[in-house]
Amino acid sequence: MRLKTFRGGVHPPDCKDRTRDLPIRRAALPARVIIPLGGGGKARLRPLVEPGRRVLTGEKIAEGEGARAVPVHASISGAVSLIGETPVPYGGTAPAVEIEGDGRDEKAWEGTGIPDPVRAAPSEIIARIREAGIVGLGGAEFPAHVKLSPPPGRTIGHVIINGAECEPYLTADDRLMRERPGDVVAGARLLMRATGAARATVGIESNKREAREAVAAAARAFPEIEAVLVEVKYPQGAEKQLIRALLGREVPSGGLPADVGVVVQNAGTAVAVWEACALGKPLYERVVTVSGPSVREPANLLVRIGTTFADLLAQCGGLAPDAALLIMGGPMMGIAQWTAEVPVVKGTSGIIALPSRGIPAERPCIRCGLCLTVCPMGLSPSLIRRAAERGAWEIAERYGVLDCMECGACAYVCTTSRGQVQHYKRAKMEIGKRGKR
Amino acid sequence: MNIILYSAAVLGAMGLLLGLGLLLFARIFAVGIDPRVERILEALPGLNCGVCGFAGCAAMAEALASGKAKARQCAPGGPAVVEKVAAILGTAEAAAEPRVAVVRCQGGTGESRKRAVYGGVPDCVSAELLEEGVKACRYGCLWMGSCARACPFDAIRMGGDGLPRIIETRCTACGRCVEVCPRGIITLVPRSQKVYLGCMSRDKGKKVKELCAKGCIACGLCALPKVTPSRKVVMENNLPTFPADWEDFGTAVEKCPSGCFVVRAGAPGRG
């Protein structure tokens, strides 16, 4: 039988063998954590603590106004040592709270869960999710409670748990689904309860058959939840592409999954939702895959938010001397770092170190059209790029650049090594600027 | 014979009639042209650069005649054009003080530390979108020449050290480079201003020293009364600020440990 998938896409080598069979290991409790209060275009948070103040693990240390702001929590117990600007892995700097740990890891949240969360009121579940600071753990860090509260007039009928993990190297969700399938399913049930959805589907790429079997076994008692294999193809884990693959529904241009009655949450997010509701545990740790040819001992680590990349790399045997590129997230959509002194954030699904193969020189476009055949959004990257290179932002907009999700499939296949995504990013920025005027 | 006469008569009569028609319609449908537009158009530089915000000099001339534009919007024209246009229109528009663009960063590829290899789109604005670029200093010039490409008058050339150089004789202070620079390094100063600060870094001194040999370390020396007796220099956000008419800058320029002050070569009255 042919596996479900979407139109377009590329097949980069999945490179997951390094860490696929390594159980999640708890990273050493960091002596110091740096917890950003913004950055990456997110709402600035207001710190609730001041230097010198003692905090417990899981204590709320900052919150923000506005519907999209989610609080952050201390990830270790200790004393706040500093609040100041620090480099963040999204690029640039952001204010952050630095906590000097006392090594005791005293928890503030124990015993605060709801006894039977699956029967709790949907509004209570959503409130708990927000209070626990849960955002999309796939990488985009979109606040989970916003997705769960669809705009008026939209109802959610289907919850999709995203276990595609289509980025090469990453195995964090794979391991999570294999080791804690019960929590993934429990999280899915809570998300169904919160949205009123009747069904849930866990979408898993077919290179993670063990994960699908584990989740399917855990969901045996719940016929409304199924685990489905999808084709191994990048970007299978993109929200709209996964919906297309699993349900055959197409999210309209500029629309949201809620427009087709769907909400998509990452497998890691589902586990975090379960923990927040059943245990009362805020989101202060996550699974991070540390991998890549330039990491000596790749691993899947359960990491406290705020641990620096350097700290984690040291626990993985350090970097090989050929390391030239340090990326947060996967190699396709991840963000290159200029320093390892940046903290793990909620969206850090992986830390990948690669040797440099040099940057290929751009050659003139030969109009081969490969980018058109792979664009998962059905756009014409070559035309958009040409418009954007000339600064013709209106033309780029007319060709649909605003629907581009910056997956980089076009750049991956480009026979002439032309930069693509940066042009689209620029075009989006310029169009946004014009709109504001 | 008759044929020749007839045809000549018919054609002649037709020509006369159509000619009269043309005359009539030209009178009825005449478009009133403001005679001043033509004269203004002659006064404008005729570069069609678009800096004024209109589609070329003709559009600008019409806008001027109908009072929708000010002559000072014509940056390349300068005071001469303002004067001519004012004479044509009979208005008294004062010319703006002539200005010139200056580059407020001296951290070239030799002076400033790099922190990463950049392989993206070679354009400052695009580079700024990612990771704030290749340069370790987050206030300084990105070395990729968006300003030079934006200049309609070819008044900016990129130097071998990555920094743009303003050719002051060509600069019309149109402000295109100021708009395009993602870090706001280029500013317009009065042509009469003799000295400007070649650094925008608001970082603290220790950090600046690590990142750039030509960065302002905010030592405050230039603000001392014994260096600047007029007390016109005030430290603000780790940078000195001073008015355009700062005259007693000699000692400050000489004593500045990083050589941050730039004395303009083209400044009038420079000894």
Side-chain angles (χ1 to χ4, degrees):
Chain A
M1 196 189 86
R2 278 194 61 186
L3 290 165
K4 296 187 172 192
T5 190
F6 61 97
R7 203 187 69 102
V10 292
H11 296 91
D14 80 356
C15 304
K16 293 181 195 272
D17 285 342
R18 282 185 178 77
T19 51
R20 187 197 304 275
D21 295 316
L22 301 174
I24 298 170
R25 174 157 66 87
R26 191 171 270 282
L29 194 70
R32 183 184 67 119
V33 291
I34 304 162
I35 299 173
L37 305 180
K42 278 174 278 295
R44 280 280 157 104
L45 302 179
R46 178 169 42 84
L48 302 171
V49 291
E50 60 290 329
R53 177 55 200 280
R54 186 175 145 71
V55 291
L56 300 179
T57 306
E59 190 176 327
K60 186 155 80 173
I61 54 170
E63 63 182 4
E65 279 87 40
R68 289 191 168 196
V70 290
V72 292
H73 302 79
S75 55
I76 54 174
S77 67
V80 175
S81 53
L82 192 74
I83 299 179
E85 287 278 319
T86 183
V88 289
Y90 317 108
T93 61
V97 174
E98 193 182 291
I99 301 169
E100 210 67 53
D102 56 12
R104 293 208 291 268
D105 196 22
E106 284 172 61
K107 297 185 176 66
W109 51 271
E110 271 167 335
T112 58
I114 329 174
D116 192 6
V118 181
R119 261 174 264 287
S123 59
E124 194 190 346
I125 296 176
I126 293 176
R128 284 224 166 215
I129 287 172
R130 178 174 189 174
E131 212 38 40
I134 297 179
V135 295
L137 296 187
E141 297 193 8
F142 192 81
H145 71 272
V146 177
K147 276 192 190 177
L148 298 176
S149 323
R154 299 270 181 273
T155 51
I156 304 293
H158 210 118
V159 170
I160 289 180
I161 302 297
N162 187 346
E165 204 166 46
C166 57
E167 280 268 9
Y169 293 105
L170 304 186
T171 53
D173 290 347
D174 183 11
R175 290 309 310 182
L176 201 62
M177 289 185 289
R178 275 157 81 173
E179 294 177 32
R180 300 171 63 184
D183 292 353
V184 174
V185 171
R189 293 181 66 209
L190 284 178
L191 291 169
M192 287 166 68
R193 173 80 185 166
T195 54
R199 299 193 57 80
T201 307
V202 187
I204 302 168
E205 276 193 350
S206 62
N207 57 358
K208 294 179 267 290
R209 285 175 193 275
E210 301 91 337
R212 191 201 83 96
E213 272 154 34
V215 173
R220 200 157 290 148
F222 312 105
E224 68 277 14
I225 301 177
E226 57 174 351
V228 176
L229 283 182
V230 290
E231 192 187 323
V232 180
K233 188 161 80 175
Y234 176 86
Q236 186 67 77
E239 206 166 64
K240 291 169 184 171
Q241 279 58 39
L242 195 61
I243 294 171
R244 180 73 184 69
L246 290 173
L247 306 177
R249 298 180 198 169
E250 195 144 321
V251 179
S253 165
L256 297 169
D259 294 337
V260 291
V262 182
V263 63
V264 184
Q265 294 284 5
N266 181 268
T269 314
V271 173
V273 164
W274 169 252
E275 288 181 338
C277 295
L279 312 174
K281 181 183 165 192
L283 178 60
Y284 62 77
E285 59 185 357
R286 66 157 296 144
V287 184
V288 177
T289 301
V290 184
S291 184
S294 295
V295 173
R296 286 220 173 88
E297 295 157 27
N300 296 302
L301 299 173
L302 184 62
V303 180
R304 298 292 168 99
I305 305 295
T307 313
T308 62
F309 285 19
D311 196 346
L312 291 182
L313 288 167
Q315 291 178 50
C316 295
L319 288 173
D322 65 348
L325 197 57
L326 187 65
I327 300 169
M328 176 180 87
M332 300 294 286
M333 276 186 89
I335 305 169
Q337 306 295 317
W338 61 274
T339 168
E341 293 302 323
V342 286
V344 167
V345 292
K346 290 172 181 174
T348 309
S349 47
I351 300 171
I352 311 296
L354 304 169
S356 176
R357 290 189 308 173
I359 298 159
E362 280 195 358
R363 279 163 289 140
C365 172
I366 56 167
R367 316 277 196 277
C368 67
L370 266 183
C371 51
L372 280 83
T373 63
V374 299
C375 178
M377 297 304 290
L379 304 174
S380 304
S382 62
L383 293 177
I384 299 175
R385 194 210 65 240
R386 254 202 296 167
E389 278 176 353
R390 299 199 314 262
W393 316 122
E394 313 81 358
I395 298 177
E397 188 177 6
R398 211 177 324 133
Y399 285 136
V401 70
L402 296 180
D403 279 321
C404 166
M405 56 160 160
E406 300 169 16
C407 70
C410 46
Y412 182 79
V413 295
C414 183
T415 46
T416 53
S417 315
R418 293 197 76 81
Q420 314 261 4
V421 178
Q422 203 181 356
H423 286 300
Y424 311 148
K425 269 190 204 285
R426 170 85 184 274
K428 286 184 190 179
M429 182 200 81
E430 299 283 351
I431 293 164
K433 230 171 33 181
R434 192 154 311 180
K436 254 178 239 157
R437 257 184 226 155
Chain B
M1 189 63 195
N2 272 349
I3 294 177
I4 297 170
L5 277 176
Y6 280 139
S7 30
V10 167
L11 283 175
M14 248 170 76
L16 207 68
L17 243 123
L18 290 173
L20 278 172
L22 277 177
L23 193 76
L24 195 70
F25 285 116
R27 284 282 163 86
I28 295 173
F29 297 111
V31 181
I33 296 173
D34 190 337
R36 297 176 305 174
V37 172
E38 208 139 308
R39 285 166 61 207
I40 295 172
L41 188 54
E42 263 165 46
L44 291 175
L47 293 167
N48 290 323
C49 63
V51 163
C52 53
F54 292 94
C57 293
M60 173 67 166
E62 267 173 42
L64 278 169
S66 55
K68 283 183 196 139
K70 289 253 188 286
R72 72 178 66 167
Q73 279 170 253
C74 178
V81 162
V82 172
E83 205 174 288
K84 279 190 212 160
V85 171
I88 295 164
L89 294 175
T91 56
E93 187 187 334
E97 200 189 354
R99 293 188 294 174
V100 68
V102 295
V103 179
R104 295 188 54 190
C105 175
Q106 297 185 84
T109 43
E111 289 86 20
S112 248
R113 227 184 69 202
K114 285 184 181 184
R115 64 177 198 190
V117 180
Y118 177 74
V121 179
D123 179 276
C124 306
V125 186
S126 299
E128 183 76 358
L129 278 178
L130 309 172
E131 289 280 301
E132 301 187 337
V134 46
K135 200 177 190 175
C137 169
R138 63 191 172 111
Y139 299 99
C141 171
L142 291 162
W143 306 326
M144 276 178 277
S146 289
C147 49
R149 284 190 293 278
C151 181
F153 306 107
D154 202 15
I156 305 180
R157 289 282 164 84
M158 296 307 289
D161 56 357
L163 293 174
R165 303 266 185 282
I166 310 277
I167 303 168
E168 296 202 346
T169 47
R170 288 188 186 160
C171 176
T172 64
C174 69
R176 279 284 168 86
C177 50
V178 178
E179 260 171 51
V180 79
C181 178
R183 297 210 161 164
I185 286 162
I186 306 184
T187 42
L188 299 175
V189 300
R191 277 191 184 257
S192 60
Q193 184 172 333
K194 290 173 187 158
V195 66
Y196 65 91
L197 186 73
C199 182
M200 296 279 281
S201 172
R202 297 202 295 272
D203 278 333
K204 295 212 173 82
K206 184 167 169 272
K207 193 170 172 195
V208 176
K209 264 201 153 145
E210 280 168 23
L211 304 182
C212 184
K214 283 264 183 136
C216 169
I217 55 170
C219 62
L221 191 78
C222 48
L224 293 178
K226 115 179 142 200
V227 175
T228 306
S230 63
R231 294 168 191 251
K232 279 186 171 166
V233 179
V234 181
M235 293 303 288
E236 221 172 79
N237 289 327
N238 292 329
L239 283 174
T241 59
F242 46 86
D245 61 351
W246 181 27
E247 289 289 345
D248 53 347
F249 53 78
T251 324
V253 172
E254 194 184 309
K255 290 270 164 74
C256 176
S258 327
C260 284
F261 291 106
V262 184
V263 180
R264 278 184 51 233
R270 183 170 173 261

